[in-house]
DNA sequence: CCTGTATGTGGAAACGTTTTCACACAGGTT
DNA sequence: AACCTGTGTGAAAACGTTTCCACATACAGG
């Protein structure tokens, strides 16, 4: 019996009709000073508070924004969600949260729940925006939506950074430090558009800099580096001298794993991350990474979706990619036997890199 | 126009009454094979999906669990929330999330929103459970609720650890390492029961070990150590040799600030945290801390509240405090001029540690 | 005295469900 | 022929709001 007491009880208590109660409590219509007082008193006496479910039914809006992210443990999403929640609250909306755990099936189920809940808008970070059936439904129904971290698809705006371009920059940084053989480390590579885009940009960048193609290292959610056999990747003739992790969380984990192996960063291997989470700066070695502004992502997404909700028939806004920047950090150094800048590397054959496959590669801002 | 299409449209399309549609789509009553098919077809053709708001109104339950935490950026809460969200989803509930930002006013507003939303249950981490007016309303209305991290109050169960006891243990660890003058570092001390309890336990512990009373160092949310003048606390005749931070997040920040000052941990000052967040292990120096299981907190809270929701007239369950353990870490060492392990300190009176007050102090595992 | 315009007020419909209830009709029994 | 007993079905009420509309009452101007 949640609350139990309804507007009718208040009306009875105050000796008037429900319409009057609604009017005075919402300040939405005329009422004599005397009635007003009676109603207010009655409501207070009964500790009445409106039920949003009745309200939502009649107003045909819930003032809820559905939010779906792959994880909260990754600080990037935690920050974004916290910020967008605060923004929403400020504007009288609240957030219905779902975590997909990077699982496409859960993702789909979460979207269906959000749809059933009749949220007024959605903020989504999807594994694969381009082929998400539920996202199509969202568009069908004209539900305002905005993505975060996903590259936008036609009809759905997104608060995002250009993953490819940023990853190319990272390749440049590795090259400048003298690396030639590096790896790309991804969590659940298969089910994350972001990881894939970062890999593709990294690959392009490596080729452009005359480095070897990066080795793709995939880890599962548990991040068990024993399985990956980090040791083997980092030793021997063709040892990797650098690792680009698809996010900071992973980067920090791999640094830790490297230490556990008795090796050092960046002595034995350099590590670069992606996201720019705060803790990376405090870490020793401090984490070299692409810095993005998670809170701004959240804020932009919230603003966008709320604006779409509140203004009718708005055209889908065009959000441009957000600024990012490379942060130097101690985790990126020169390889052991390496040249500092551009030594004999440039002199060697430098096999031309991208035989084909340079499809659509945007590269807007470069903050 | 969210979805727009309702059960009535389906009924019309299928040429039957709404009751029939409800029955076949919910599998909740008889229907001839032929009608069943017609309804199913119609629903599919129209892409119909039930509206939870209509449903909630009539069933008088929302299958929503309200969740209020002070922050998501602190990984402890992120993990707990992620876990409880997953648990809830498994049982057919979803989570309405709110962050209070450690702000009592926001906290109160968030609770009112949750109340208005008519959530079926609540999971709360409050700044001061004992005097929260809205919590009283929750109890009034018999809304199932469970706290997390808060010490339970009569009538409201909680998934918690015994902050006082754990903090006393930390004092013991400092003493064993040879410290005498230490500080306690808290974020918004005034508005967090947890920080206060940890301080009190620490104070008791320090006294019991014959150490000086710990110095209380309070920082605001922005964690600006310039304002705190860390330098002064750590130098001079009466310099602190150790700092106990009220949570790991803060501990990591202070280690970083100490480094920025050109000092070392634990050389110049030892640091111990509270919570046991994962990243603390990877940190250099690795963080000595009280390890708690955030996911278990979330899971227990979710299980508890869902059980209270699903079984009528259940007595308020008695949850015992969760296990915690001290994790040794490089961030706790002996003070500069200090004795290594138990030198002359142990030779001194060695006051028994927990004089009394060993009420319900579960202390099971000790990993 | 009749009409017109304010001003308060409450009844009732609508929002999208589920569920109760009654009804129709089939196929047995007596 | 009259009676049960199922089985399938739909009308209608209820859930808690808001809002539209109509109805009072009052008081002004003709």
């Amino acid at each position: 019996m949640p609350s139990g007491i309804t507007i009718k009880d208040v009306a009875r208590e105050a000796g008037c009709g429900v319409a009057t109660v609604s009017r005075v409590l919402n300040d939405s219509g005329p009422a004599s000073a005397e009635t007003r007082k009676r109603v207010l008193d009655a409501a207070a006496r009964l500790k009445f508070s409106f039920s949003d479910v009745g309200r939502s039914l009649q107003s045909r809006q819930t003032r809820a924004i559905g939010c779906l992210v792959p994880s909260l443990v990754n600080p990037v999403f935690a920050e974004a969600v916290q910020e967008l929640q605060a923004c929403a609250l400020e504007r009288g909306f609240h957030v219905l949260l779902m975590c997909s755990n990077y699982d496409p099936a859960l993702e789909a189920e979460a979207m269906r729940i959000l749809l059933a809940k009749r949220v007024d808008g959605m903020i989504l970070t999807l594994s694969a925006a381009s082929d998400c059936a539920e996202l199509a439904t969202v568009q069908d129904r004209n539900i305002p939506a905005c993505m975060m971290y996903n590259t936008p698809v036609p009809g759905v705006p997104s608060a995002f950074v250009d993953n490819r371009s940023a990853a190319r920059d990272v390749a440049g940084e590795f090259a400048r430090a003298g690396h030639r053989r590096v790896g790309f480390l991804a969590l659940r590579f298969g089910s994350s558009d972001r990881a894939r885009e970062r890999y593709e940009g990294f690959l392009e960048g490596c080729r452009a800099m005359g480095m070897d193609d990066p080795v793709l290292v995939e880890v599962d959610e548990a991040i068990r580096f024993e399985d990956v056999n980090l040791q083997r990747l980092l030793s021997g003739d063709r040892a990797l001298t650098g690792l680009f992790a698809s996010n900071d969380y992973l980067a920090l984990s791999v640094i830790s794993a490297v230490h556990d192996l008795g090796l050092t960063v960046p002595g034995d291997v350099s590590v670069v991350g992606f996201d720019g989470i705060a803790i990376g700066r405090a870490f020793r070695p401090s984490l070299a990474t692409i810095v993005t502004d998670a809170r701004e992502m959240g804020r932009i997404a919230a603003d966008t979706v709320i604006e779409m909700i509140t203004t009718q028939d708005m055209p889908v806004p065009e959000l441009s990619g957000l600024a990012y920047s490379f942060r130097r950090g101690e985790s990126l150094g020169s390889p052991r036997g390496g040249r500092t800048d551009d030594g004999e590397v440039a002199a060697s054959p430098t096999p031309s890199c991208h035989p084909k496959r340079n499809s659509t590669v945007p590269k807007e801002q470069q903050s």
Side-chain angles (χ1 to χ4, degrees), chain A residues 51 97 109 292 338 354:
Chain A
S51 159
L97 178 73
E109 188 186 350
T292 64
H354 303 186

Side-chain angles (χ1 to χ4, degrees), chain A residues 279-299:
Chain A
I279 205 76
R281 299 243 305 267
F283 218 78
R284 289 304 116 100
S286 64
L287 184 63
T289 188
I290 292 288
V291 182
T292 64
D293 189 337
R295 305 172 68 104
E296 196 182 6
M297 296 272 183
R299 191 155 29 75

